[in-house]
Every structure is written in structure tokens, then in C-alpha cells.
Amino acid sequence: MATTVTLKRTGAKMPLVGFGLWKVTKETCADTVYNAIKEGYRLFDGASDYGNEKEAGEGLARAIKDGLVKREDVWITSKLWNTNHAKEHVEEACKYSLNLWGLDYFDLYLVHFPISLEYIPPSTKFPQEWWGLDGKVHPNKVPLQETWTAMEKLVDSGLAKNIGLSNCQGSLILDVQRYARIEPQVLQVEIHPYLTQEALVDYCKLLGIAVTAYSSFGPQSYVELGGHKGATSLLEHDTIAQIASKNQKTPAQILLRWALQRGLAVIPKSNNHQRLVQNLASTSFELSEEDMKTISGLNINLRLNDPVDIESSLAIFA
């Protein structure tokens, strides 16, 4: 099976299995990135909001210094946070993240959410998160078109090789296509067997937009945040366990392979070295059509990452 997906506009080859940096602690992040590179990971999915870009950059710099990789061998993704959607803040935010990483450019820069919040300077609070200095959420009237036009300028200036969207549904993607000079190359959204999103994936394929699935393990990522919504862990689900046993693979490998076989890229993280290696090996086997259908049959349209849970006015998936 292929290990990369070729992006439509630039022909860039994006690795299909990357390492997600969400919730990787500052204390462990540099070593985690270094060790992941050592084991063969070549894509790291970061974001301003994760608060660990400086440490991730230190791990990358060490790997380059030690001769494990060159900069051009590694794909670094970052994301524009909600407080920086105004045209005058997009480049500033991108450069701030690049400086933390110690890089000159991102391979991919995404609009993290189609939500604009009141600007907070990074010198006042960083990461800015969802809440203002008073602890409340403050939506800001910046249309996505303004943000996207500023994103395009990042490509013009060489700060981002590719740009894309995250947490957007079809109607917004269609809208962006209406005015985009540089079309989105990647869409990153929540996809797992409890939220299969077939129609959205099919639409992106029609438009030639590569799709990256996050939260591939479903509720597992949200347990410590209290946001798993009472759902059974997919890693412990009987159906997944049976398919894993039959294929002599781990449940995590089955969940990742299900996504990969649908043509999706994945960005799992693991603090466990053995699992980190196993996740990368998810491109090395195939699931039967029957297994694929059985796993997809677990869909209950359970969305775990929904801004409406933070503020009722942010119901972007309504």
C-alpha cells in the first residue's frame, strides 16, 4: 500500500501515517518527537493551541543535528487558532508558530476551526484557548473569506507550502471553493467508526481534497478530558477485538487500517514506544471488505470534538 498521498495543487507527497501532538506534554514532547523520527515517523501534526510547538521543534532540531533526517524529509503541519482569524493577525500567528518550531516554513497550515474569536496577543496569553481573559468565550465577526485570503498570502510568501481547513463541513468547503484563489489541499476532521462521515469524505474525493482523520481511536482521547460522552472505548470494543484477533493485529492497528483503507491519512499519538511503532505499521496489511463493512457499521454519528459543548453559540455542526 502507498505510504503517502499526493496533494492536487503542489504534487507534494504527504505521509499517510503521522504523529499527532495534541496532548503531548511539554516535558516529554522533545523526546517524543525525536524518538518518533528515529522509528520512522515523517509527519508531525501540531497546532498553536497545543502549547508544545517549541518543545516539538527542539526534538526535530536534535534529530536533524544528529543526522537522522533533513528538514525536507519531514512534514510539519500547524494550525491557525480562532483568535487570529482577522487578516492582520494570520501572518503574525503563522510566524509566531514557525519561530517556536525553529522553522522557515510549514508543509501544511490549516484553519483550526471555522470560528473567529476575539484577538488576544500571545504576549498576554498563550496558547489563547477558547476563553478570553475574563473566562468567557467572545466570538468575533470575521468572515472565513477574509481569513482564507490571508492564508493564501502565506503560500505567496513561502511561509506555508500548502494550506487547508479543519473541522469544516461540506457547505463551508463549497463556499471557500467559490472564492479561493488557492483551493484547500487538505481537510482535517474527526473520523472514527462511531463517526464515519462517508458523505464528507466522498465530497472531498470529488474535489481532490486529501482528508486527514483525527481521533481515530474515538472516545479514548477524550476520557481524561471527561468528554468521551459515555461511549465504549473502540480499543476495547468486542467487534474491533474480534477483527484484531482474526488478523493478528492490535485493536489500534485495526482502527488505523480501517481509515487508511478508506483513503484517509491518520495522525495517532502514543506515549508507549511499542504502540508508536505498531501504529506506523498500519500500512502493511489489508482488511477484508467484510471487516471494513462491519467496522463502518458501528457508526452512531457520535461527535466528540464539538465546540457547542464549550459555548452554545458555536454550533458549527448543527
Side-chain angles (χ1 to χ4, degrees), residues 137-196:
V137 177
H138 297 281
N140 200 17
K141 292 186 177 180
V142 178
L144 189 55
Q145 183 170 1
E146 178 179 325
T147 306
W148 190 256
T149 301
M151 291 283 286
E152 292 172 327
K153 289 177 181 174
L154 300 179
V155 177
D156 297 336
S157 61
L159 296 175
K161 302 274 190 189
N162 300 278
I163 51 175
L165 300 166
S166 184
N167 299 300
C168 287
Q169 296 300 100
S171 54
L172 265 180
I173 297 166
L174 177 64
D175 187 55
V176 173
Q177 296 283 111
R178 290 287 172 266
Y179 50 74
R181 176 171 57 88
I182 299 173
E183 294 179 359
Q185 292 298 288
V186 178
L187 173 69
Q188 186 176 129
V189 285
E190 179 183 345
I191 297 178
H192 44 74
Y194 287 154
L195 183 68
T196 52

Side-chain angles (χ1 to χ4, degrees), residues 24 48 58 63 75 86 128 182 248 288 300 307:
V24 176
S48 163
E58 289 166 0
W75 184 286
Q128 290 95 343
I182 299 173
Q248 296 184 303
S288 69
I300 50 173

Side-chain angles (χ1 to χ4, degrees), residues 214-229:
Y214 72 75
S215 297
S216 293
F217 304 144
Q220 186 66 28
S221 304
Y222 299 86
V223 172
E224 66 198 76
L225 305 174
H228 62 294
K229 303 185 178 179

Side-chain angles (χ1 to χ4, degrees), residues 216-269:
S216 293
F217 304 144
Q220 186 66 28
S221 304
Y222 299 86
V223 172
E224 66 198 76
L225 305 174
H228 62 294
K229 303 185 178 179
T232 302
S233 169
L234 282 165
L235 292 170
E236 295 167 7
H237 197 289
D238 288 347
T239 299
I240 303 299
Q242 286 163 14
I243 293 172
S245 176
K246 182 175 75 174
N247 287 274
Q248 296 184 303
K249 300 294 177 185
T250 68
Q253 286 176 315
I254 296 300
L255 292 167
L256 294 173
R257 181 64 211 173
W258 169 82
L260 290 165
Q261 219 159 298
R262 294 181 63 198
L264 310 175
V266 292
I267 44 170
K269 86 162 178 77

Side-chain angles (χ1 to χ4, degrees), residues 1-3 16-17 247-250 253-254 256-258 260-261 277-287:
M1 180 195 162
T3 57
L16 283 170
V17 182
N247 287 274
Q248 296 184 303
K249 300 294 177 185
T250 68
Q253 286 176 315
I254 296 300
L256 294 173
R257 181 64 211 173
W258 169 82
L260 290 165
Q261 219 159 298
V277 174
Q278 289 170 344
N279 290 347
L280 196 56
S282 301
T283 57
S284 66
F285 69 100
E286 283 210 9
L287 292 170

